[in-house]
Amino acid sequence: MFEARPKTQTRPDLLFVSSKRIAEAKLRVSESLRREDAHQLIYFIERACEDPTYLSSLPKTTIAEILRLLDPKNLFDPLKFLYRHLTPKNIDFLRGEARQMDEVFKYYKSKVRSITDNLVADGRQLGLQDYKLLLNLARSMGDGEGAAEIWGDMVKHQVKPDTICYNHYFEARCWEDTYYPMEKTKTRICSLYLNMRRTGHNQPQTGNGSERKDYLGYKVGPGGVKQEVTTKFTEMIARNVRPDGKTYGCMMTAYSREGDLQAVKSILRSVWDVDVDAIMKSEDDFMSPAAVNADSPLHPTSDLLFIIAHIFGSNSELAAAMRIVDHTSRKFSIVIDRETWRELLEWTFALSKLRSKQARDCGLHVGQLPPSSVERLWKIMTSPPYNIKPTIAMIDRVVRSFSRRDQTDQMIYHMKAGLKFHESSQHAYKKLRSSMIRKTWTKGFFNESKPWLQQMAQVSLLRKYRDFLFISRWFRLLLRRRRGYRPEDRILIWERQTLPKAIESFWHYRPLRGISYLTASGKVEIKYDNELPLKVEKGKKSQMSDLPLDANDQDPRSLSRFAQYLRKDEIASRRRQPGVIRRVIRMFQNRAYMRHLSQRKARTRRHPRKRLQA
């Protein structure tokens, strides 16, 4: 994979690049190392390597610092967590301002590979630290095939892997392609998903002819993730490489991918003295002392709590997940972090959904929880002693849970809490955009700094876009709810007071084609003035400053509501539209009141005695 180029080979691009430009790139590399700016480093080091003697002239400490800075946490991990809630269709609406997740992975993978290729071309043999960097990159991407290719290159060059190398390889295999939006919901263990992963079948093509990327990650059965990880672990023990806590966590994850919870319980009992069966049977709070010293490599961390929550949650054993997480955290004095609570909340939300007959036939009804389970878990995690500060993704699960149960008052309360996240992301995006505009006044700075500034802008843009999508989805769910079982007085309060106020509060997140909802006496429809839909041409690239990510943007060219259509004069008339909705609601209320008076007069004509008594 990494072959050295002959020393006599001349790079043709050196004929077109001036020495002054290469010298400037070398200065920028030193500056990026001093500032620890990974995006600036990954851009300029490729240009500096156009000098064949550059890397060979650097000391070993500088090369080690370069490799340390190229950690996935400094490159694309912030983007990876944002892409978790954005489908490829959502990204397409940004029209080139943000790339798809696989394109981001390919970009950074090619850049890091280019650096390692230059090291090999300069006659430097890749060592253990270099392969650690590449395996860590594959681990963070969930690239199991890339990790296998890197591992084969290590064997070819007789590089002995250590515990960290094995851990990176195990994690890349266990979480292969699970970071893609369409794949993350398919890690649950049920008969349908296991059969699809065992046979390797994919979902049928979508409407636009593209194949859905479901079940493209790890495989189960013969040659699956469990067999492969077990084989590597046996090889690891044979080479006298000592496993640590993360190694056993990856082993448990590999076993859980095929529903082998007995092996998971065996590892917990033998390594950390956590007896799952005894914990689930006992009613008291008895706890044996910790069997692992605090300075031992087997001492558990918050990563073990996350793995436990994921394993038992994906196997529809949420009660066991909560009790084991609580028991382990108290036994080893580990604080339950927000990621573990988020994982518990995700599986609580998935298991509390009412399933149809077709879903029950596929085994998705196993481990069914009451619909109020999400609310109960929310109260536990946000109350003492945990006091977790939720993210907008966690609020999304609670809002949708209240929507399922038709508890609209609680739903609106949490929707308003989610507005603060969008306001914060708006402020951060405005601040970044203004700073980028100021930097353009420095001669040549913006053009040279564009790659890493664009990375910062992408993170801010996607965070703002994600928050906008969450609140827009909540608004549509709010209008879609049916309230036929409520008492008559509460129905009137809802449709004449609560819902009109909610529509006005979330007016900037309204559906594009109008607002409509059912009432006890009919249907209310609110259409916008001068509605002239303008179709956005496919492939047209928008400007980042034109995106309507702010509720106060006044540019009529922007992509309204990140949808396929926009209204021609919608943004220009925003200041007077809240008045329009008030007039429409007042007119509806007046008509209802006049109808009530006419019905009352009709009743008094039929019963004159009641009229005299009145």
Side-chain angles (χ1 to χ4, degrees), residues 58 243 502:
L58 293 177

Side-chain angles (χ1 to χ4, degrees), residues 246-274:
K246 184 169 289 188
T247 308
Y248 287 110
C250 294
M251 289 291 296
M252 291 192 299
T253 306
Y255 286 128
S256 70
R257 292 292 186 233
E258 302 191 17
D260 190 359
L261 290 183
Q262 292 301 323
V264 174
K265 295 176 182 179
S266 177
I267 293 176
L268 285 173
R269 183 172 55 253
S270 59
V271 178
W272 293 289
D273 193 22
V274 177

Side-chain angles (χ1 to χ4, degrees), residues 505-541:
S505 300
F506 298 95
W507 176 256
H508 297 294
Y509 308 94
R510 62 196 179 277
L512 179 67
R513 301 191 180 187
I515 297 173
S516 63
Y517 58 92
L518 298 176
T519 64
S521 58
K523 183 179 181 180
V524 176
E525 292 186 357
I526 302 176
K527 297 295 183 181
Y528 314 131
D529 295 338
N530 302 325
E531 187 171 8
L532 297 175
L534 177 62
K535 189 171 183 179
V536 179
E537 297 180 2
K538 186 176 182 180
K540 181 180 178 182
K541 183 177 180 180

Side-chain angles (χ1 to χ4, degrees), residues 10-77:
T10 304
R11 301 184 183 180
D13 51 358
L14 287 177
L15 302 175
F16 305 94
V17 181
S18 63
S19 58
K20 181 179 179 181
R21 186 181 178 186
I22 297 177
E24 184 180 359
K26 294 178 182 179
L27 294 176
R28 289 298 184 94
V29 170
S30 303
E31 179 186 353
S32 60
L33 289 175
R34 185 173 62 255
R35 294 169 49 192
E36 295 190 353
D37 192 338
H39 300 289
Q40 181 178 354
L41 172 66
I42 205 170
Y43 176 70
F44 283 108
I45 195 172
E46 187 176 13
R47 184 182 299 179
C49 287
E50 293 169 354
D51 180 5
T53 61
Y54 174 65
L55 289 177
S56 59
S57 63
L58 293 177
K60 293 183 178 180
T61 55
T62 305
I63 294 179
E65 183 66 18
I66 290 173
L67 297 177
R68 185 194 65 83
L69 199 57
L70 296 178
D71 192 270
K73 293 181 180 179
N74 303 326
L75 294 177
F76 55 82
D77 272 1

Side-chain angles (χ1 to χ4, degrees), residues 273-303:
D273 193 22
V274 177
D275 193 342
V276 177
D277 296 330
I279 293 172
M280 297 304 297
K281 291 179 181 179
S282 64
E283 297 181 357
D284 55 359
D285 202 18
F286 174 75
M287 185 182 305
S288 60
V292 181
N293 297 327
D295 56 348
S296 172
L298 296 177
H299 191 272
T301 61
S302 58
D303 294 337

Side-chain angles (χ1 to χ4, degrees), residues 146-168:
E149 184 180 356
I150 296 169
W151 195 271
D153 195 70
M154 290 178 63
V155 174
K156 178 181 177 181
H157 292 90
Q158 299 180 355
V159 178
K160 296 182 179 180
D162 60 357
T163 306
I164 298 178
C165 291
Y166 277 103
N167 291 342
H168 290 340

